[in-house]
Amino acid sequence: MDDYVRSVEAALFAANGPLSLDDIALYAGEGDVAAALASLADHYAGRGIELVERGGRWHFQTAPDLAHLLRREREEPRRLSRAATETLAIIAYHEPVSRAEIEAIRGVQISRGTLDVLMEAGWVRTAGRRESPGRPLTYATTADFLTHFNLGSRRDLPGIDDLKAAGLLDPLDEEALQLQLESGEDED
Amino acid sequence: MDDYVRSVEAALFAANGPLSLDDIALYAGEGDVAAALASLADHYAGRGIELVERGGRWHFQTAPDLAHLLRREREEPRRLSRAATETLAIIAYHEPVSRAEIEAIRGVQISRGTLDVLMEAGWVRTAGRRESPGRPLTYATTADFLTHFNLGSRRDLPGIDDLKAAGLLDPLDEEALQLQLESGEDED
Amino acid sequence: MGEDEGQFEEVGGGSGDDALTLSLDGWEGPLDLLLTLARQQKVDLHQISILALTEQYIAYIESARALKLEVAADYLVMAAWLAYLKSALLLPKDPEIDPSPEELALRLQLRLQRLDAMREAGARLLGRDRLGRDVFARGAPEGLRLVRKSAWQANAFDLYAAYGRVRARTQPAMHVVAHRAVMTLEDAIARVSALLGQALDWTTLEAFLPADADPAYRRSALASSFVAALELARQGKLDLSQDAPFEDLRLRARAA
C-alpha cells in the first residue's frame, strides 16, 4: 500500500474532526492529497466505515445503513425548536440572508435566542453586512452544518433544485417585505 | 463485504474505548465475532490503521510507525531578543558565570525567561554551583553554541581589542544622538 | 415535528370537523395560522382559494374575540388586511388600483408557499442521517497536535555587537567637556561700550558682533552682547528699541 495514502489515512483517522486538504498536508506531509483521498474513498466504499467530504473537509464516519445498530436511543444531539428549525432552513436555502428577510419569510419576528442557539450549535455564522440601506448583518451556514447534516455541499440540500426552479428561493422583493410590514406589529 | 464484518468494523470505530467480544456482540448482534475480528485484522494489516487486541479488548489505532504524524513539530524562526543576545554574549565571554554576575555586567536585571530561552535554544547549559556563599548556580555555553556561531572554540571569540577595532566598543548610540542634537542647526 | 401536533388538534375527537381549537398561543404569527388554515383546504397551495382562506381566517379571529381571548395586534392587522383584500376581490375591477387585488392574492399565496417550503425543508433536514445520531465519527480519536517550536535566530555579529554594547554601557566613562569658544559677559560689556561710542544712530545688535567669528562663537557673542546691552541700558548708558517681537533689536548711546 502506498505510504502516502497510509499517512493520509492515519491522519484522518486520528483527527478529532474533519480535515481540509491543507490540514491533511500539514500532518501527512506534501503529496498528492486529492489522489490519496480518492483512493481511500474508493477503498472504503461499502465498508462499515466510509470516507466523506463535507464542505471541503474530509472525515471518516460509520456507514449510514448501520445507524440502527449503533444508535442506542434515537436521541437528537440537539433538540431544535420549531422556530429554530425553520430559521436554520431559511438560512441554509437562502444564504446569505438578513434577519429581516428571515422574518419576512416566517411572517413573525425572531426572538433573540433563536439565532443564538444556531450559532452556539456551530451551524450558523454571521456573513458580513449587505451593501444596501441600513447595511444589515447577514447570516450563513458553516462547514460544521454540512458535516452534521451529512451534506457534501449546499447543493445537496434536500429539494433545493426544485425550490429554486419554482422561484421559492428568489430574493425577496420589496413588496414581500412590504407585506411583512403591513402584517407586522408596527403599522408605520 | 460481509454485513456482519461491516457492523463489527463500525462498532469498533465508533466506540469510546476498546471493546470486549461481548461488547461487540451487543452492537453487531449475534454472529461469529472472532471470525469477523480476524478478517478485519487481516484487512487492516499494513494500512495506516490497524486493529489490535489488548487484554481481550479490541480497538482500532493508528499504525505505530505513523505515530510521528500525530504530533507534528513546526519550527518557527524567531529572533533572539536584545536582552537574550546580551545575556548569551556575557555567558560566552565570562563563563562559568552566575546570574548575579550576568546582571552586574549588564547593569540590568534579567528576567526568568531570558535564560530559559537560551537553554531552550540549546546554547546555554547550567555549569554547576560555585563554591562561594549562597552557592550560586553558574551558566556556560554548549557545543551547539560553538557550532551555531561557527566558532572552533571559545578562544575564537573576538577579544576586546578586536571589538574596539571593529567600532563595537564606541560610545553608545544615545550619546551620539545627543551630540547631534547639540550641533543640530549647523549645516554638516 | 411531532411536538407541534397539539396545535392542530381538531375539535370533535377526529370527526373530521375542520374547526381548530381556539388557542392563539401556539401559532408562530398570523402567517403560520394562515398556512395551517390553508392546509385544511387539503389542496395544493397553488390551487388554494384565497377568498375561502380569507373568510376562514377572519372567522377564526372573530370567534376568538367573541370568546374574549386576547388577540395580538399583528393577528388583527392581518385580519383587517385580509378583509380589505376580500372586499377588493369581490368588488368590480378598478383598473386604477395598483397592485390589483388579484396580484395581492397571488403574493399572499407565494408567501404561504415559501413558508411551507421552508417548513418542509427544515423537517427534511432534521430527518437526515445526522452525525452523532445516525452516523458516527471515531469514538476515541488519538487527536492530532501541532507543536510550535521556536527556532531561535542570532548570528555572530549580533553576539559581538551585544557584548560591545554591554561593555560600552557599563565601563566607567570619563566625561570631558569640550573646549568651546565663548565670549564672556565682561568682554561683551567692554566691547559694546567701546563700539557704542562710534555709533551715533540706532544700530542693530548684530552690528556689534565680531564679523569673522565661527558660528559657535558668534552665537555665544550674540547671547553675551544681548545681556551686555540690557546691563548697559540698566546703567543708563544706552537706549534699546524693538519694533515688534523678534524684530531687530537696536541700540543707541543715551545722550549725556
Side-chain angles (χ1 to χ4, degrees), chain A residues 55-119:
Chain A
R57 304 184 310 178
W58 295 76
H59 72 271
F60 281 117
Q61 66 181 26
T62 57
D65 66 299
L66 299 174
H68 62 286
L69 296 176
L70 305 175
R71 189 170 52 211
R72 262 152 294 185
E73 63 258 65
R74 193 174 169 96
E75 189 183 306
E76 308 221 343
R78 195 176 291 268
R79 193 115 179 86
L80 281 191
S81 70
R82 174 169 156 177
T85 307
E86 281 180 24
T87 303
L88 179 62
I90 291 167
I91 294 172
Y93 284 76
H94 292 81
E95 71 179 50
V97 63
S98 72
R99 190 189 181 100
E101 287 161 338
I102 298 168
E103 293 179 339
I105 294 170
R106 295 196 62 229
V108 71
Q109 295 199 333
I110 38 178
S111 66
R112 260 201 78 68
T114 304
L115 280 167
D116 290 349
V117 162
L118 297 175
M119 298 222 261

Side-chain angles (χ1 to χ4, degrees), chain C residues 96-136:
Chain C
E96 296 287 294
I97 297 177
D98 181 52
S100 69
E102 287 74 18
E103 172 67 23
L104 288 178
L106 208 63
R107 281 185 203 165
L108 179 60
Q109 198 187 58
L110 188 67
R111 288 198 71 197
L112 292 172
Q113 282 181 50
R114 266 185 194 263
L115 179 59
D116 189 55
M118 286 303 105
R119 191 158 285 179
E120 196 195 318
R124 288 175 73 177
L125 216 45
L126 292 195
R128 289 183 64 82
D129 286 329
R130 288 162 66 184
L131 190 66
R133 189 188 72 174
D134 309 290
V135 295
F136 297 86

